[in-house]
Amino acid sequence: MLGDLELEVRHDTEASEMRIIGIDPGLRRCGWGVIEVEGSRLSFVECGTIRPPTEGELAERLAVLHRELDAVLGRMRPLEAAVEETFVNKGPRSALTLGQARGVVLLTPAIRGLPVAEYAANLVKKSVVGTGHAAKDQIGLMVKTLLPGSKAGDADAADALAVAICHAHHRVAAARVKALA
Amino acid sequence: MLGDLELEVRHDTEASEMRIIGIDPGLRRCGWGVIEVEGSRLSFVECGTIRPPTEGELAERLAVLHRELDAVLGRMRPLEAAVEETFVNKGPRSALTLGQARGVVLLTPAIRGLPVAEYAANLVKKSVVGTGHAAKDQIGLMVKTLLPGSKAGDADAADALAVAICHAHHRVAAARVKALA
């Protein structure tokens, strides 16, 4: 059952505890969510949304995004990061803008030496809701179900927690493959 | 004459010496060029091209770009940075990729507290060649003329020097406007 997250996992292939940060990149709103993984159990730690200033020099806005995300990493001490690979369908100009924020979001944990995984938005939805075409509010509801006590105040933080959950599932699978090899 | 860069400049509106880095962003090849501005005279300092690994995790490739660019900033100590605002016409996916590199290139000097100006590619060409539709090799030739002793080994470094020259012209104009106000 997805609700209990009782995946068939060999506990010995897992580190005893793993803290993951999921990030939903954006220049105006960048969601982040931290969870803890112990064997097949996931638990909510904290989440939030970074809102860089919407005016001023682009470089300075990116610097605020970097500083605030780096402060979260320093406070939360995750061991791995996962970032949503957003599908872009709004033309090259908005893809460029999103790309700039994504570059900073991928770089910031990498500077701290964290491995940074990327997951397509469809895979994230599938991991959390069971289908690749879920509505925003469905994701929020499932995140609350999968992570009791989750306090995602907005869709960005909920999306970030969904990316973290997706990574938790997939790194377990990767560990199993490794164990079999 | 553009060749002598004898613009009508009031020298008293200028700091005695200003070091500028121009950057032509890219994930595979990122050109940089440092010039010095003294009144209306420009001189070549150094240039190069950063080539992050083309394989491996995207976050790690961006981290290499950041580290190498940051090392250049630490060694060259420019006071201002200028980045080319590339026109994207290759569809959203390549715009996203370029955006990621641009985000890192804008962020890296901003972290060090440098002001980062952006200039459209057409304006850069116009500043250096006199028209917004110059060919790559024309830019290289004009950069060599404007900066005697320039050792731009490739088009990326030459483009970066062109961005630095463009910024040198425009910050002078901005200083004049300020002085008049």
Side-chain angles (χ1 to χ4, degrees), chain B residues 24-170:
Chain B
D24 181 27
L27 185 53
R28 282 160 180 265
R29 308 171 56 85
C30 175
W32 60 271
V34 178
I35 65 173
E36 219 136 41
V37 188
E38 211 181 326
S40 60
R41 292 183 54 192
L42 307 186
S43 55
F44 170 77
V45 179
E46 205 175 314
C47 67
T49 301
I50 297 165
R51 293 177 182 82
T54 53
E55 305 210 332
E57 263 186 15
L58 176 59
E60 190 41 48
R61 294 165 65 196
L62 293 171
V64 171
L65 174 57
H66 164 72
R67 272 197 302 270
E68 296 200 8
L69 183 55
D70 194 58
V72 168
L73 296 174
R75 194 157 53 81
M76 293 282 118
R77 300 268 163 206
L79 296 175
E80 294 181 4
V83 176
E84 184 159 318
E85 210 176 62
T86 321
F87 177 68
V88 187
N89 58 357
K90 284 180 195 161
R93 180 137 296 273
S94 59
L96 189 74
T97 303
L98 176 64
Q100 286 160 175
R102 273 200 102 233
V104 170
V105 162
L106 290 166
L107 174 67
T108 303
I111 289 177
R112 282 183 174 263
L114 269 66
V116 184
E118 296 182 85
Y119 294 99
N122 279 4
L123 184 61
V124 172
K125 287 176 182 168
K126 212 165 186 172
S127 295
V128 176
V129 187
T131 159
H133 303 279
K136 276 263 175 201
D137 53 345
Q138 269 184 291
I139 293 168
L141 274 172
M142 277 310 286
V143 164
K144 271 189 190 157
T145 311
L146 295 171
L147 298 173
S150 153
K151 292 185 188 69
D154 58 34
D156 302 281
D159 278 357
L161 286 168
V163 183
I165 293 169
C166 177
H167 182 56
H169 292 184
H170 286 270

